[in-house]
């Protein structure tokens, strides 16, 4: 062995292996997170060399004077609740169905997954066009079915724009939950299922007492990932409505971006980011602790 | 909520299953749903191939009578696709393999080398997988601007790497942890370094997982919009999603070209997915979801 002593020390080798990932992650992911907290206590337009400390002023402004913030908060919460219920539920039903030995299940899986790999900004462009009040697909179909009364300005009506957008979001992400559930279903013990069927359990009972408990870990992963991806809904809102009409579809992530990068108020934008970050952490930290405990128990 | 998922393996059950009305209804429901799901994509493809006159005159789901390829060349020219396409390719081709390598190295060390702060480090990485970067667009801009890297390839690739690493480390760590000790111990006792064991033993056996991660990472890098929007301000540095967004803004009434532009943006990701998709579910199962 001609290698130097340092090469042989496992600790040095570990540092060399972890080093590149750690450096880039700490600099470009962790530092901005610290910086956003610092910025939220400052007044800054993004250009001046001087940043002025203003204490809690940004938070005070957002919470008391910024009406858009409250709309964005309410929309983000509504959106997250919808996103945690519908795409995972439809995804689970599809996975259960497509786990059966059915004719054509492989191409069907591919069809349901296809929207996941389309750029969200392209999904926004597609659906914006389909929602067009004059030439869009939806209103054309309604006209040809003589349902003119149902015709709407899907993205221009403040009452429904958010939900129109959510339909496009669901179309895109159902396949993602489906694939995770399909993967989870491969881990369900077949002999348990058969034993239950022989004992006379019907489909619902087998699902309720055998399949669902076995999917517990998958379910937790899907729900957490759905929550996180819904909190960062950005591309689709930016591309479909830009937060309009009249800020009625504004969300926290987009509003933070607009405050900083378009209004050039980095302090207020960062304060919104910090609030969204805190919301995320209240969901993520319990999950991390739960998964760590689970791993500890398995060892 | 009566959809169910089990099937019996014995002969009699096999015969019974074939006539099971439940499965027939289930199949019909799934097919109808699949048609609904694929409809927007068919619509895009058809519209992209129709002339504007034909779009106005025919039903949306009528296949094009004469194929108007000119939509593609027209959108390519007007949307500056030559430039945006090239930028997307350069960024993706550098970022994806480099990111996977960094992640695999770190995941190996965290899973197979005993470190005093190993567990804490892993948690530190894991944390990043849960934090949406969309929250931090402004400070990312400030940081990259501070390095003088706005409108450069490294200026986007470095943040992309940073936000790709956590999830990949998480998946690969789970996979490496499950590899039996015997596989590496003999080599280590013979005096091989960890770098050698990683390269010669762990990389080859993790190819299916790496392929699954490659698809995921390719797709998310290719499609990334928010960070590119902040970090690439010069038109000549734009990636495809930025180009598409601007195309929509300018030529939104030229439906044929708009849909051709969508199709061209989406196409490469679909091709990569189709090439690697057989590894996809198997790769994911071996790492993440097994629990």
């Amino acid at each position: 062995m001609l290698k130097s002593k340092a090469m042989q020390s496992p600790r040095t080798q570990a540092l060399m292996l972890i080093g590149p990932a750690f450096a880039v992650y700490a600099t470009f992911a962790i530092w901005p997170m610290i910086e956003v907290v610092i910025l939220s206590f400052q007044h800054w337009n993004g250009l001046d060399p001087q940043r002025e400390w203003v204490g809690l002023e940004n938070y005070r402004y957002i919470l008391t004077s910024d009406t858009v913030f409250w709309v964005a908060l309410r929309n983000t919460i509504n959106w997250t609740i919808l996103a945690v219920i519908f795409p995972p539920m439809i995804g689970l039903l599809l996975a259960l169905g497509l786990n059966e030995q059915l004719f054509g299940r492989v191409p069907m899986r591919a069809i349901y997954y296809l929207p996941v790999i389309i750029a969200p900004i392209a999904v926004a462009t597609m659906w914006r066009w389909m929602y067009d009040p004059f030439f869009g697909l939806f209103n054309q179909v309604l006209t040809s079915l003589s349902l003119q009364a149902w015709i709407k300005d899907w993205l221009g009506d403040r009452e429904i724009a958010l939900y129109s957008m959510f339909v496009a979001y669901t179309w895109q992400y159902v396949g993602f939950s489906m694939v995770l559930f399909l993967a989870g279903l491969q881990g369900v013990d077949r002999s348990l299922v058969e034993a239950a069927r022989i004992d006379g359990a019907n489909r619902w009972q087998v699902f309720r007492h055998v399949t669902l408990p076995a999917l517990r870990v998958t379910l937790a992963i899907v729900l957490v990932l759905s929550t996180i991806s819904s909190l960062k809904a950005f591309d689709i809102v930016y591309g479909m409505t830009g937060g309009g009409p009249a800020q009625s579809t504004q969300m926290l992530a987009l509003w933070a971006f607009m405050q900083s990068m378009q209004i050039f108020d980095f302090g207020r934008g960062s304060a919104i980011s910090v609030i969204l970050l805190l919301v995320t952490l209240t969901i993520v930290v319990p999950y991390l602790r739960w998964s760590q405990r689970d791993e500890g128990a398995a060892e | 909520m009566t959809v169910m998922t089990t099937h019996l393996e014995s002969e009699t059950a096999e015969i019974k299953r074939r006539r099971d009305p439940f499965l027939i209804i289930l199949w019909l429901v799934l097919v109808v749903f699949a048609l609904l799901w694929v409809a927007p994509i068919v619509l895009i493809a058809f519209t992209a191939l129709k002339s504007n006159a034909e779009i106005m005159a025919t039903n949306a789901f009528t296949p094009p009578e004469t194929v108007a390829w000119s939509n593609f060349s027209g959108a390519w020219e007007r949307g500056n696709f030559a430039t945006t396409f090239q930028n997307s390719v350069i960024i993706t081709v550098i970022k994806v393999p480099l990111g996977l390598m960094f992640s695999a190295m770190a995941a190996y060390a965290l899973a197979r080398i005993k470190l005093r702060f190993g567990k804490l480090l892993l948690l530190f990485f894991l944390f990043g997988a849960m934090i949406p970067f969309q929250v931090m667009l402004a400070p990312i801009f400030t940081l990259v601007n501070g390095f003088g890297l706005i409108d450069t390839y490294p200026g986007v690739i470095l943040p992309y790497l940073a936000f790709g690493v956590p999830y990949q480390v998480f998946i690969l760590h789970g996979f490496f942890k499950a590899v039996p000790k015997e596989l590496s111990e003999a080599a280590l006792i013979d005096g091989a370094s960890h770098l050698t064991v990683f390269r010669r033993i762990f990389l080859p056996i993790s190819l299916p997982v790496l392929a699954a991660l490659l698809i995921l990472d390719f797709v998310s890098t290719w499609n990334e919009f928010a960070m590119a929007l902040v970090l690439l301000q010069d038109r000549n540095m734009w990636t495809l999603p930025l180009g598409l967004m601007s195309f929509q803004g300018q030529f939104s009434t030229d439906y044929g070209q708009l849909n051709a532009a969508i199709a061209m943006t989406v196409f490469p990701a679909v091709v990569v997915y189709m090439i690697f998709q057989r590894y996809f579910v198997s790769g994911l199962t071996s790492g993440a979801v097994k629990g």
Side-chain angles (χ1 to χ4, degrees), chain B residues 47-51 68-76 254 256-257 260 264:
Chain B
T47 312
L49 294 169
K50 286 179 187 175
S51 66
W69 290 109
S70 60
N71 284 337
F72 284 86
S73 50
W76 183 273
D254 193 334
Q257 288 197 9
M264 287 189 291

Side-chain angles (χ1 to χ4, degrees), chain A residues 13 25 27-28 33 96 100 103 112-113 117 119 125 128-129 135 171 190 193 197 203 207 218 273 284, chain B residues 4-6 9 20 22 27 30 33-34 37 124 127-128 130 135 143 163 194 223 248 255 273 280 289:
Chain A
Q13 291 181 41
Y25 170 65
T27 313
F28 288 93
M33 200 160 65
L96 290 172
E100 297 276 353
F103 176 74
Y112 289 118
Y113 193 73
I117 54 181
T125 310
R128 192 167 145 164
W129 176 61
F135 306 106
W171 177 77
R190 289 283 282 278
V193 172
R197 290 306 293 263
R203 287 201 156 85
F207 171 72
T218 313
S273 294
V284 166
Chain B
M4 246 327 301
T5 63
T6 53
E9 294 301 293
D20 191 337
F22 175 80
W27 184 79
L30 285 170
F33 240 72
W37 232 250
F124 178 66
F127 179 67
M130 309 286 169
V135 173
L143 179 71
F163 287 97
H194 275 292
N223 293 342
Q248 175 187 258
Y255 295 128
Y273 169 69
F280 191 58
V289 187

Side-chain angles (χ1 to χ4, degrees), chain A residues 129-143:
Chain A
W129 176 61
M130 294 200 294
Y131 279 139
D132 188 285
F134 304 110
F135 306 106
L137 174 77
F138 285 97
N139 286 349
Q140 274 187 30
V141 169
L142 288 175
T143 309

Side-chain angles (χ1 to χ4, degrees), chain A residues 85-95 170 174 177-178 181, chain B residues 33 37:
Chain A
I85 296 172
F86 288 101
M89 196 173 75
I90 302 170
L92 176 61
L93 291 175
L94 288 176
T170 306
V174 155
S177 306
M178 179 197 74
F181 280 123
Chain B
F33 240 72
W37 232 250

Side-chain angles (χ1 to χ4, degrees), chain B residues 130-172:
Chain B
M130 309 286 169
I131 299 305
F133 66 76
Q134 282 84 348
V135 173
M136 299 178 278
L137 292 172
I140 292 170
F141 168 81
T142 314
L143 179 71
V144 173
N145 194 28
F147 285 118
L149 290 175
I150 295 291
D151 290 331
T152 63
Y153 294 130
V156 262
I157 290 172
L158 286 166
Y160 280 5
L161 284 172
F163 287 97
V165 156
Y167 182 70
Q168 295 176 350
V169 167
F170 169 58
I171 300 282
L172 285 165

Side-chain angles (χ1 to χ4, degrees), chain A residues 151-172:
Chain A
I151 285 182
K152 289 206 163 60
D153 185 359
W154 300 100
L155 293 173
D157 183 336
R158 306 166 60 151
E159 298 296 315
I160 54 169
L162 189 73
Y163 304 100
S164 303
M165 237 161 41
F166 184 74
V167 172
Y169 178 86
T170 306
W171 177 77
Q172 173 156 41

Side-chain angles (χ1 to χ4, degrees), chain A residues 1 3 7 10-11 13-14 16-18 20-22 24-33 35-36 39 44 51 90 93-94 96-104 108 110-122 124-130 132 135 137 140 170-171 174 179-180 183-186 190 193-194 197 203-204 206-207 211 217-218 221 224 228 232 234-235 238-239 253 257 260-261 266 273-274 276-277 280-281 284 287-288 292 295 299, chain B residues 1-9 16-17 20 22-23 26-27 29-31 33-34 36-38 40-41 43-44 47 56 60-61 102-103 105-106 108-110 113 115 119 121 123-132 134-144 147 158-159 161-163 165-166 170 173 177 191 193-196 198 216 219 223-226 229-230 233 241 244-245 248 255 258-259 262 265-266 269-270 273 280-281 284-285 288-289 291:
Chain A
M1 286 282 109
K3 286 175 187 152
M7 272 300 280
R11 213 173 136 254
Q13 291 181 41
M16 286 171 63
L17 286 164
I18 299 173
F22 183 87
V24 77
Y25 170 65
T27 313
F28 288 93
I30 296 300
W31 170 248
M33 200 160 65
E35 172 103 317
V36 84
L39 277 169
W44 192 42
R51 302 186 189 180
I90 302 170
L93 291 175
L94 288 176
L96 290 172
L98 292 171
N99 200 37
E100 297 276 353
Q101 301 284 343
L102 292 173
F103 176 74
M108 278 199 275
I111 284 176
Y112 289 118
Y113 193 73
L114 196 58
V116 181
I117 54 181
I118 296 178
I121 201 72
T125 310
M126 281 166 69
W127 281 75
R128 192 167 145 164
W129 176 61
M130 294 200 294
D132 188 285
F135 306 106
L137 174 77
Q140 274 187 30
T170 306
W171 177 77
V174 155
V179 161
L180 290 176
L185 282 171
Q186 311 314 307
R190 289 283 282 278
V193 172
E194 276 165 40
R197 290 306 293 263
R203 287 201 156 85
W204 167 248
V206 175
F207 171 72
T211 317
V217 173
T218 313
I221 291 174
V224 168
I228 294 166
K232 56 190 193 190
F234 180 93
D235 303 14
Y238 186 95
F257 162 84
S260 299
M261 304 302 298
F266 277 62
S273 294
V274 169
L276 184 53
L277 211 56
T280 313
L281 287 179
V284 166
Y287 169 74
L288 274 181
Q292 284 302 105
E295 193 179 297
E299 266 166 16
Chain B
M1 283 296 281
T2 46
V3 186
M4 246 327 301
T5 63
T6 53
H7 33 84
L8 304 177
E9 294 301 293
K16 203 177 123 206
R17 198 164 62 84
D20 191 337
F22 175 80
L23 285 180
L26 175 68
W27 184 79
V29 170
L30 285 170
V31 169
F33 240 72
L36 272 177
W37 232 250
V38 82
I41 294 169
L43 178 72
I44 300 301
T47 312
M56 289 301 161
F61 290 103
F102 283 7
S103 304
M105 283 160 46
Y108 169 84
L110 290 168
I113 304 178
L115 289 167
K119 206 152 191 172
L121 255 174
L123 218 61
F124 178 66
F125 275 113
L126 253 178
F127 179 67
M130 309 286 169
I131 299 305
Q134 282 84 348
V135 173
M136 299 178 278
L137 292 172
I140 292 170
F141 168 81
T142 314
L143 179 71
V144 173
F147 285 118
L158 286 166
L161 284 172
F163 287 97
V165 156
F170 169 58
H173 175 268
K177 196 100 195 172
S193 71
H194 275 292
L195 299 181
T196 315
F198 167 67
L216 282 175
V219 169
N223 293 342
E224 205 288 323
F225 175 76
L229 179 70
V230 172
Q233 323 236 319
L244 180 64
M245 188 66 207
Q248 175 187 258
Y255 295 128
L258 178 63
N259 283 283
I262 296 173
T265 308
V266 169
V270 175
Y273 169 69
F280 191 58
V281 172
L284 275 185
T285 348
V289 187

